[in-house]
Amino acid sequence: MGCGASSTKGGAAAGPKPATAAQPTTEKKSNLNPVSSSGSNGTSRTASDIQKPQQQPPQCSACIGSQKAAAASPPPPAVAPKESAPPASAPGKSAPAPAVATGSRPGTPPKSADPVSKTAASPAPTDTSSRPVLQIPKLAAGTALSCLTPPPPPEPCASELSDDTLEHVRHLASGDGSTAAAAAHVRQLLCTASPPIQALLDAGAAAALVRCLKHGTSEAKLDAAWSLTNIAASPVFSHVEALYKVEAHIALLAILGVPPGQGTRSVSGSGGIGQVLAAAAAAAAAAANGGVAEGTASAGAVATAAAAAAASPALRLQALWALANIAGVIHPDYKTQTLAVEILEVGALGAVMSIMEAESTATCGREPVSASGSGSGSSANAMLRCAAWCLHNLAKHKREKEMVDVILLATQLLLNCPDLEVLTCVAWVLAYLGSNEDNKSHLKQALPALPRLVPWVREASSTLANPSLLCVGTMCTGYMRALDYSSEVVEAGGVPAFLSYLRKGNEAGRRDMVMDALFALSNVAGANNATVQALLEAGAFAEVVSLLRTVGDDEEVRMECLYVLTNAWDPLVGVEVATVQKLFESGILEELHEQLDSSAPAARLDLLLKGLTDGLKRGQMLMTYTASMMLVELGQEAAAAAPPPVNPVVELYGRLGTVKRIQALNSHPDSEVATKANGILTVLKFMS
């Protein structure tokens, strides 16, 4: 199954979830860890750790002025995240597993508290080479923002600043008449491939730039925001943290209209940042016209709204770009975007959503969106593209309830926006949000996007394929009946699309694609009778069996395959007699028998024994049905005289020698495996 291993997968939450008796199959959690390609995320995903740590770039030896010895001092203490961000969890069933090839993959899930059924949280999207990067520098005027084809990240150098540069930084800090020239000088230094970021920070440039952003001329403010953008594009966490410490994010949000101190965890509720922004803007407009607006906007909010209204579009775009870079930096110890949490706390989400709503109204819906995710060639405006990317960086780390308002906006953009970069970012956002169990009840808002998402899954070469598959996969949560949209996914053509993605990934040797496709298929298998029928009709189980026989020593892929094969047998899935008969004839149980090797890892044996036990229960269902039909067709006396029906699965296990293999596990060192083996032998003895 997807990233996290488990039978029916749901959203990958920030940690393993205990299985409950009511949950049918072992749902998997899909992990979202970065992949390895340039600027892209890593190979395996985890729900809590969405991205791999970035390597600190080597320090160059020359820049402006004479060189210093570049003593690599340890980064200052990181800002403590509001919510603890533990390091990536070890691979296991309930928790997301470690990264794998191109795209993140979870490992074999840990055993669930429930001896029979395990719960899997939804998939947290995988990272692939087509995933939006988290930090982007701006190296020249007129450069268009692209999170899919960005310039290479800067390689900060450790060089000494020239006297002229130090003088410019002093002018910038003092706010004298040379501020504009000083801001331009610093910006030029930061637009090189190897900017002297540490030297500038040591000289006090961070606080000086923030001061300029607040009080400088329009031209100086733009250069200051640009400089902050490129410092925040540094992969060195301490560089970006230095901006946070001087409250650069507060100043940037003020440019976007968020008053200092108006942070809130709610976007749409009472007192939410959206209402604060609206009230402040209304009050500022009324004041400009000599009137008084209704409401209680504070003087600070009004002043901020007035300043934001006066900001040029270029300055607002640059402020948003810098904010996205700050949110995207990875903490070297926690391996998560700890600063994104801080930015969300001070109202970033409401500001970004307000921008997206306004810009999407003007940009989207003008042309149809093709399966490849583009219209006739026009692209969204730069502000919408930047806002979508910023939202991606915020949602990548924060997948909690306050983000649910984003689901409807993301869905509207998926339906109407013609820009591939915007579509890719919001598809990832929706995948992140769907991976959180708390958001399951809100995913219904995203169902209108299924006709777009499912065809995109087939476009394996598109940047939309991976996030679309994960979005659709998180909608299949069989164990949560009221929140399961598997039937809608199947009706939209989800099963053929998943199989197409699986084949293309297998043919291309893309392990990450194979894992994601199996994740989605396992969730469908653990949903209901109709979805299992759809898998049977599409030949999905046969394809998974074929794949299983070729995985070799790759235990994670093997487990994902086994989740697909075992989920359908779970009694809580509720398959009907006709479907059980087809499952029995499909050869799945024979393959489970072949995989039952006493030397196999305990996690695999545990899952196999669960599947074999569920198979026995389904066989009992066939036997009971046969007995009922005999009564109907032969009458009570003739039926009593006829040989009694037998459980066909018991006969199959006897023929295959499955019982002997299970007996060999009686004394297995893993107590749970031994207990399950003894339990199934007891059931077999009773049924024989």
Side-chain angles (χ1 to χ4, degrees):
M1 308 181 51
C3 295
S6 124
S7 63
T8 306
K9 297 153 195 151
K17 286 200 171 203
T20 62
Q23 297 168 330
T25 57
T26 320
E27 181 177 6
K28 288 187 180 177
K29 299 181 179 182
S30 141
N31 293 341
L32 298 176
N33 265 19
V35 190
S36 58
S37 15
S38 61
S40 286
N41 307 323
T43 47
S44 66
R45 314 166 217 185
T46 60
S48 52
D49 298 328
I50 304 177
Q51 169 152 10
K52 287 183 176 182
Q54 301 183 13
Q55 294 287 331
Q56 180 168 333
Q59 296 178 328
C60 72
S61 56
C63 199
I64 299 175
S66 60
Q67 298 210 9
K68 281 185 175 178
S73 58
V79 178
K82 298 270 181 189
E83 303 171 2
S84 70
S89 54
K93 181 112 194 166
S94 300
V100 177
T102 325
S104 346
R105 279 291 151 297
T108 306
K111 296 181 178 177
S112 150
D114 182 340
V116 175
S117 78
K118 298 170 176 147
T119 324
S122 302
T126 56
D127 295 23
T128 68
S129 58
S130 63
R131 185 162 180 180
V133 297
L134 298 177
Q135 294 168 281
I136 306 171
K138 180 179 179 180
L139 302 181
T143 301
L145 173 70
S146 174
C147 59
L148 298 179
T149 56
E155 295 184 3
C157 69
S159 63
E160 190 175 76
L161 298 179
S162 66
D163 291 341
D164 183 49
T165 297
L166 290 171
E167 184 66 20
H168 277 300
V169 173
R170 282 193 287 272
H171 284 304
L172 198 61
S174 65
D176 59 25
S178 303
T179 300
H185 180 85
V186 172
R187 182 255 301 162
Q188 289 169 358
L189 284 181
L190 290 166
C191 286
T192 60
S194 300
I197 294 177
Q198 188 59 57
L200 284 169
L201 293 175
D202 291 342
L209 288 168
V210 171
R211 185 190 184 287
C212 181
L213 190 63
K214 294 177 179 178
H215 307 296
T217 63
S218 297
E219 184 180 358
K221 285 182 178 181
L222 181 57
D223 280 331
W226 189 342
S227 296
L228 292 172
T229 297
N230 285 1
I231 293 175
S234 170
V236 181
F237 181 81
S238 61
H239 291 168
V240 188
E241 185 186 32
L243 300 184
Y244 170 80
K245 289 179 176 179
V246 296
E247 297 189 339
H249 58 300
I250 302 293
L252 293 167
L253 282 169
I255 297 294
L256 300 176
V258 179
Q262 294 294 336
T264 174
R265 300 182 67 86
S266 171
V267 174
S268 60
S270 175
I273 191 64
Q275 293 181 358
V276 172
L277 293 173
N289 294 324
V292 178
E294 297 180 2
T296 57
S298 67
V302 173
T304 300
S312 67
L315 177 57
R316 286 169 55 80
L317 173 62
Q318 205 58 60
L320 186 60
W321 190 334
L323 193 69
N325 275 343
I326 295 174
V329 71
I330 299 295
H331 192 289
D333 297 324
Y334 291 113
K335 308 301 186 291
T336 57
Q337 299 160 246
T338 55
L339 295 185
V341 181
E342 307 299 329
I343 293 174
L344 283 164
E345 293 289 340
V346 292
L349 181 59
V352 172
M353 286 186 64
S354 295
I355 292 170
M356 292 181 71
E357 288 168 352
E359 298 297 332
S360 63
T361 300
T363 303
C364 300
R366 295 179 178 175
E367 10 177 359
V369 184
S370 70
S372 61
S374 61
S376 63
S378 68
S379 64
N381 63 39
M383 186 65 81
L384 177 57
R385 183 178 280 193
C386 189
W389 171 56
C390 186
L391 180 63
H392 165 272
N393 283 5
L394 294 172
K396 183 169 183 283
H397 177 74
K398 194 82 165 182
R399 300 188 298 278
E400 294 186 357
K401 286 190 247 186
E402 69 269 23
M403 302 288 293
V404 299
D405 292 336
V406 173
I407 295 177
L408 183 57
L409 175 59
T411 302
Q412 293 170 344
L413 286 167
L414 289 173
L415 289 171
N416 301 311
C417 186
D419 186 77
L420 180 60
E421 296 224 1
V422 172
L423 290 170
T424 300
C425 286
V426 296
W428 275 112
V429 167
L430 194 57
Y432 291 134
L433 298 180
S435 71
N436 185 353
E437 296 297 325
D438 292 334
N439 294 335
K440 290 300 180 186
S441 61
H442 301 279
L443 278 183
K444 188 173 184 178
Q445 298 178 81
L447 291 179
L450 276 176
R452 298 287 189 206
L453 294 169
V454 171
W456 289 338
V457 172
R458 292 177 176 273
E459 297 285 331
S461 60
S462 168
T463 59
L464 285 165
N466 192 213
S468 296
L469 178 135
L470 292 167
C471 286
V472 177
T474 58
M475 294 179 183
C476 305
T477 54
Y479 69 91
M480 301 171 70
R481 297 303 179 196
L483 308 179
D484 176 43
Y485 311 112
S486 301
S487 296
E488 289 86 346
V489 169
V490 169
E491 290 172 6
V495 171
F498 297 159
L499 288 174
S500 172
Y501 193 89
L502 176 65
R503 294 180 199 119
K504 290 175 181 176
N506 196 29
E507 291 167 2
R510 288 281 304 277
R511 181 178 184 273
D512 62 308
M513 289 178 65
V514 170
M515 292 284 282
D516 280 339
L518 290 171
F519 144 72
L521 289 168
S522 64
N523 273 6
V524 173
N528 56 55
N529 182 72
T531 61
V532 174
Q533 281 184 322
L535 291 171
L536 285 165
E537 292 168 3
F541 294 115
E543 286 204 37
V544 172
V545 167
S546 297
L547 175 62
L548 180 58
R549 294 172 179 172
T550 64
V551 298
D553 296 330
D554 193 330
E555 189 64 19
E556 287 183 356
V557 173
R558 184 184 302 276
M559 288 294 290
E560 296 290 342
C561 290
L562 290 175
Y563 282 124
V564 178
L565 300 181
T566 57
N567 272 357
W569 295 93
D570 194 297
L572 292 178
V573 174
V575 290
E576 299 170 359
V577 172
T579 306
V580 172
Q581 184 62 43
K582 291 178 182 177
L583 283 173
F584 179 71
E585 296 167 357
S586 68
I588 294 176
L589 294 176
E590 287 87 341
E591 187 60 30
L592 297 184
H593 162 83
E594 292 299 326
Q595 296 290 324
L596 195 64
D597 181 350
S598 59
S599 63
R604 189 204 306 174
L605 294 174
D606 184 71
L607 181 58
L608 287 167
L609 289 172
K610 178 189 181 307
L612 292 169
T613 301
D614 290 342
L616 280 174
K617 295 174 183 177
R618 299 299 88 197
Q620 196 72 4
M621 179 179 178
L622 290 177
M623 183 183 75
T624 302
Y625 176 78
T626 301
S628 299
M629 293 306 296
M630 287 175 63
L631 283 173
V632 172
E633 295 173 0
L634 303 179
Q636 187 170 2
E637 291 186 8
V646 296
N647 184 326
V649 177
V650 173
E651 286 189 327
L652 177 66
Y653 290 174
R655 226 172 29 247
L656 295 174
T658 308
V659 177
K660 291 182 180 179
R661 294 196 179 190
I662 296 173
Q663 287 173 337
L665 300 175
N666 264 336
S667 56
H668 194 278
D670 184 279
S671 60
E672 191 167 332
V673 170
T675 299
K676 283 192 174 180
N678 286 322
I680 195 172
L681 289 172
T682 301
V683 172
L684 282 168
K685 183 177 180 181
F686 174 77
M687 291 181 174
S688 301

